[in-house]
Amino acid sequence: FRDGLRVIGEQAFCECKALRSLAMPRTVTKLGSGAFSDCINLAKVEFNELGCRLNLAAVRFDEGALQIIGGGAFCGCKALQQETIPPSVITLGDEAFWGCRNLSIVQFSEGLDIIGEYAFYECTALRSVTVPLSVTKLGIFAFRGCTNLTEVILLGGDILLNQGFLDWGLFSGEGALNEKRFHETICVNAFHDCPLTTMKISFSERMSRLPQDCRPSIEGRIRDLRRLEITQDGTILACFPVIRRSFGCMHVKDTDNQTAESLHQVLRLISFHELKESSILIELAMWKSRLDENRARADCRTSVPDPAKTLIMEYCGFTRFLEPAIEGA
């Protein structure tokens, strides 16, 4: 291809079974529908501007201008085993990787907006998928027939969980899962015929703000709670059961409120550490303000009185979680 090429059209190289390699400039912004579908022997992709040659068994679209991977672009490319979608891509078209039966690893990047219908239909080697927070539409049957897909992680806790619950826990009267928002964003039929038992939603923002030495106690507690998991990087995953209905339909629901109860305990523990850190900072500030050349430094120390702690809790939103503990102090 010549430098400056921006679009590779629909079915441009469909069923070119003798095609074994291609050189693609970084200026390409769109791969049309079916552009390389059924190119079963395509084994090498070269991005000329970068001098980068890639085996199709481990394709990575380098960051650049590419924004759209059209419908069926790599449909039936049976040699494909791994794929990384760069942040520049915002749309992954319908049937983009339909029938790539050896595709076992897919890595999406933040910035991806749409995963089209049947995008990974019958990609039977897929076992785990992580959907970025930026995805606003997950098309119907996007992962249908992925018969080994047993784990789906949704990086959208701030959107998919009820804000009232995140602020007040069980005291809010709301469940943990925002079911309306969940089903607006995630078409559960996207995972039709997948052997899923739970959907995992990330919850890590407040945890990430805590000092490192506060986290081990919370992580240890999480491992003892039902329907919660924690990843190696410290991300908390809230697991919501998948309920099977007629005709293969699925519904995600916090049965018996078990996930909410476990999350409430974690939120309470996080709030305790947040209050503790806030109190330490205030005590240090008070100590510094009381330093006197004529007094020993230890004599200048003071603690935050309980009424002040209550004010801190109200200001920081901890009251409903920790008020009973303070009253009993």
Side-chain angles (χ1 to χ4, degrees):
F1 299 110
R2 294 181 179 179
D3 290 340
L5 179 67
R6 295 188 177 277
V7 177
I8 297 177
E10 297 182 5
Q11 298 184 332
F13 297 91
C14 177
E15 294 187 356
C16 290
K17 297 180 180 179
L19 183 63
R20 296 182 180 276
S21 66
L22 62 92
M24 187 184 306
R26 198 178 181 185
T27 53
V28 171
T29 62
K30 179 180 179 179
L31 298 181
S33 299
F36 298 99
S37 61
D38 293 317
C39 294
I40 58 176
N41 290 306
L42 182 60
K44 185 190 299 181
V45 178
E46 180 179 349
F47 294 89
N48 280 343
E49 289 189 358
L50 302 177
C52 178
R53 296 182 179 181
L54 303 172
N55 188 318
L56 196 59
V59 167
R60 184 185 189 282
F61 298 102
D62 286 89
E63 296 183 23
L66 185 63
Q67 296 181 356
I68 299 173
I69 298 177
F74 291 93
C75 173
C77 290
K78 298 178 181 179
L80 186 61
Q81 296 177 12
Q82 299 181 37
E83 170 209 343
T84 300
I85 306 295
S88 60
V89 172
I90 58 176
T91 300
L92 192 59
D94 298 346
E95 306 172 10
F97 294 91
W98 172 306
C100 296
R101 296 179 182 274
N102 290 307
L103 181 63
S104 60
I105 298 175
V106 177
Q107 295 179 340
F108 301 113
S109 300
E110 286 294 339
L112 182 64
D113 183 30
I114 297 172
I115 298 176
E117 299 178 6
Y118 293 94
F120 295 91
Y121 179 70
E122 290 191 349
C123 291
T124 52
L126 274 179
R127 296 182 180 275
S128 177
V129 169
T130 299
V131 180
L133 173 63
S134 58
V135 170
T136 61
K137 180 182 178 182
L138 185 57
I140 189 170
F141 298 145
F143 293 90
R144 181 175 183 176
C146 296
T147 52
N148 287 299
L149 183 61
T150 57
E151 181 180 64
V152 174
I153 299 174
L154 307 173
L155 302 180
D158 293 338
I159 296 175
L160 300 177
L161 300 178
N162 279 314
Q163 188 59 51
F165 179 86
L166 294 176
D167 291 339
W168 303 103
L170 293 173
F171 298 114
S172 68
E174 296 181 330
L177 181 65
N178 187 328
E179 294 187 29
K180 183 175 183 294
R181 179 68 63 83
F182 180 90
H183 291 287
E184 286 176 351
T185 305
I186 307 297
C187 177
V188 181
N189 285 336
F191 302 99
H192 193 280
D193 294 334
C194 298
L196 294 173
T197 57
T198 61
M199 287 280 188
K200 302 178 181 180
I201 299 178
S202 68
F203 168 74
S204 59
E205 183 179 354
R206 285 179 65 181
M207 183 78 161
S208 65
R209 293 199 298 260
L210 290 177
Q212 196 67 37
D213 59 350
C214 295
R215 299 178 191 178
S217 64
I218 300 175
E219 292 173 357
R221 180 62 178 143
I222 288 171
R223 294 185 179 94
D224 295 331
L225 293 171
R226 293 177 297 179
R227 295 188 186 168
L228 293 187
E229 297 179 8
I230 189 160
T231 63
Q232 290 184 344
D233 65 359
T235 299
I236 301 170
L237 300 178
C239 304
F240 294 90
V242 172
I243 301 171
R244 303 284 174 176
R245 293 182 172 176
S246 57
F247 306 107
C249 294
M250 301 162 58
H251 186 70
V252 177
K253 189 175 182 64
D254 187 8
T255 54
D256 301 324
N257 231 26
Q258 290 183 10
T259 306
E261 290 175 0
S262 294
L263 272 177
H264 177 84
Q265 293 188 51
V266 172
L267 288 168
R268 183 180 174 91
L269 191 54
I270 290 175
S271 295
F272 168 78
H273 284 288
E274 289 173 335
L275 174 60
K276 180 180 176 182
E277 292 302 310
S278 300
S279 298
I280 289 172
L281 290 175
I282 292 175
E283 287 177 359
L284 286 173
M286 293 172 64
W287 177 49
K288 187 175 181 180
S289 69
R290 289 164 56 91
L291 286 177
D292 190 321
E293 293 181 357
N294 299 321
R295 298 173 63 190
R297 295 173 69 89
D299 294 338
C300 297
R301 298 193 66 174
T302 185
S303 60
V304 178
D306 284 349
K309 287 182 180 179
T310 301
L311 290 174
I312 294 170
M313 287 193 299
E314 290 177 352
Y315 179 77
C316 298
F318 305 150
T319 307
R320 299 297 292 272
F321 283 110
L322 298 179
E323 191 171 17
I326 294 298
E327 287 178 349

